[in-house]
Amino acid sequence: MAKVKNKRQNHDTKRGRYYTERGRQMPGQERQASRQELRQESRRKSSDRSMRAEVGSREGIGQEQQNTNIIIGRNPVMEALKNDREVDKLLISSREGSMIKILALAKEKSVPVIMVEKAAIDRIAAGRPHQGVAAYISPYKYAEMEDIFALAKARDEEPFIIILDNLEDPHNLGAIMRTAECVGAHGIIIPRRHACGLTEVVAKASAGAIEYMPCVKVTNIAQTIDELKEQGIWTAACDMGGAIYYETDLKGKLAVVIGSEGAGISKLVREKCDYVVSMPMVGRITSLNASNAAAVILYEVRKQRDGNS
């Protein structure tokens, strides 16, 4: 009777060596399995990085913005709110304990609050204790509406204002600021919520224009348009389905409204505007980047103001 090998032990067979833990493998398969494991690990890490980037994008936390001008911890954030610091937004992971006071202050100051997972704030804090809250502080001071009118009066010009309706891309905001400064506009108006604030990314994209262009943050764009109308300012929405921009009178006291990258100008804001101007689109692409569209319209305003219409 043939002697049977103990299968609980490693032993050789005609097809290769039998391992207790891995089962039967042909010679060289160990190295192949190892390479497959390395590839799988590499794909997993790449997927994790993509997921972190996607989460950061949804929360408005870009690579260039992380760990810049951020306050973490409940007491530091509370003191910043009490002392009227320019807080662009709050990220919180709970609504308990002293967080209730922080939320009350944020509501009083009209600061947007975003509820996120604790892991998101962990990444922002980079290992520092954050107690479930992080505040994005603007490194630049926002102007008041009076500053825009004061600048127009100092130049002895009729007010020329740009209103940005929920523009979220900091590069677009910076580029529009740059164009606005070049065409001689007197100020930019942005909303408090669902919009990009004045960040280092905006400053870089503006090529220094952020230092000279007053930027006002308001609670309600539609209400602000009504207030501008009381000052005798006409508002022109840059959107589809309007009059050709170079055939429209854009002289005098004027505010040009530019919409967000995806949704454009909201329905209510468009209805509040006095008229709509559009650019002819004869190609296969039927829209322009927000900053490109703004540049075209703003330079037409400059042209007409210079008497070249």
Side-chain angles (χ1 to χ4, degrees):
M1 183 174 179
K3 185 178 180 180
V4 180
K5 290 182 177 291
N6 187 351
K7 290 190 176 183
R8 290 177 296 179
Q9 299 176 358
N10 299 336
H11 60 278
D12 294 320
T13 68
K14 290 182 179 180
R15 295 188 178 182
R17 187 167 179 78
Y18 188 93
Y19 291 90
T20 305
E21 295 179 356
R22 300 176 184 170
R24 184 178 296 162
Q25 292 183 343
M26 294 294 290
Q29 284 187 334
E30 284 187 63
R31 182 171 57 185
Q32 183 179 0
S34 178
R35 288 174 179 172
Q36 288 177 347
E37 290 172 1
L38 288 173
R39 284 195 292 268
Q40 289 174 356
E41 180 68 13
S42 176
R43 285 195 292 268
R44 185 186 63 78
K45 289 181 178 179
S46 176
S47 176
D48 288 346
R49 284 194 297 269
S50 299
M51 187 179 298
R52 287 195 296 268
E54 183 181 352
V55 170
S57 175
R58 287 199 306 265
E59 295 161 359
I61 310 163
Q63 285 281 348
E64 297 165 281
Q65 290 177 295
Q66 288 188 16
N67 300 323
T68 303
N69 305 306
I70 294 174
I71 295 178
I72 60 173
R74 298 192 180 190
N75 285 335
V77 169
M78 190 177 296
E79 292 303 320
L81 291 169
K82 285 181 179 178
N83 289 280
D84 294 325
R85 289 286 302 274
E86 290 287 354
V87 179
D88 284 333
K89 61 186 173 184
L90 277 183
L91 269 59
I92 65 169
S93 61
S94 71
R95 297 176 179 271
E96 301 173 352
S98 58
M99 197 72 76
I100 297 174
K101 294 182 179 179
I102 293 175
L103 292 173
L105 279 171
K107 183 177 181 180
E108 180 184 335
K109 307 291 183 180
S110 298
V111 175
V113 177
I114 304 173
M115 190 75 178
V116 299
E117 296 291 335
K118 180 178 178 294
I121 306 180
D122 288 340
R123 289 192 295 273
I124 298 168
R128 295 173 293 166
H130 54 74
Q131 299 174 302
V133 60
Y136 278 76
I137 307 297
S138 174
Y140 296 92
K141 184 176 178 58
Y142 289 94
E144 300 293 336
M145 196 68 74
E146 292 76 12
D147 297 326
I148 293 178
F149 291 109
L151 181 58
K153 185 176 181 180
R155 294 179 182 174
D156 195 22
E157 297 172 342
E158 293 181 319
F160 177 17
I161 303 168
I162 296 94
I163 301 174
L164 304 180
D165 185 23
N166 296 336
L167 197 75
E168 296 181 342
D169 187 345
H171 297 92
N172 272 337
L173 176 56
I176 292 173
M177 283 192 122
R178 186 175 185 176
T179 302
E181 206 283 324
C182 289
V183 301
H186 303 114
I188 290 176
I189 298 174
I190 63 174
R192 290 187 179 275
R193 295 179 178 274
H194 309 298
C196 176
L198 299 183
T199 66
E200 293 291 349
V201 180
V202 173
K204 185 176 180 181
S206 76
I210 195 172
E211 303 290 347
Y212 309 103
M213 179 56 50
C215 183
V216 179
K217 184 182 282 189
V218 299
T219 303
N220 189 297
I221 292 292
Q223 183 178 338
T224 300
I225 290 175
D226 287 337
E227 293 172 358
L228 291 175
K229 287 181 179 181
E230 293 176 0
Q231 301 287 334
I233 296 176
W234 292 77
T235 53
C238 180
D239 204 1
M240 298 175 64
I244 302 300
Y245 75 97
Y246 50 76
E247 296 176 353
T248 305
D249 185 358
L250 299 174
K251 298 185 289 291
K253 299 179 179 180
L254 181 69
V256 176
V257 183
I258 306 294
S260 64
E261 297 85 352
I265 298 175
S266 63
K267 182 179 179 181
L268 178 59
V269 170
R270 177 174 169 138
E271 290 174 351
K272 289 286 184 179
C273 293
D274 295 300
Y275 48 91
V276 178
V277 294
S278 303
M279 290 169 285
M281 296 289 173
V282 297
R284 294 179 181 273
I285 306 300
T286 58
S287 64
L288 285 176
N289 175 278
S291 60
N292 296 139
V296 172
I297 298 295
L298 298 186
Y299 264 98
E300 177 62 24
V301 177
R302 180 73 268 164
K303 174 186 173 184
Q304 294 191 20
R305 283 183 166 233
D306 292 340
N308 297 320
S309 59

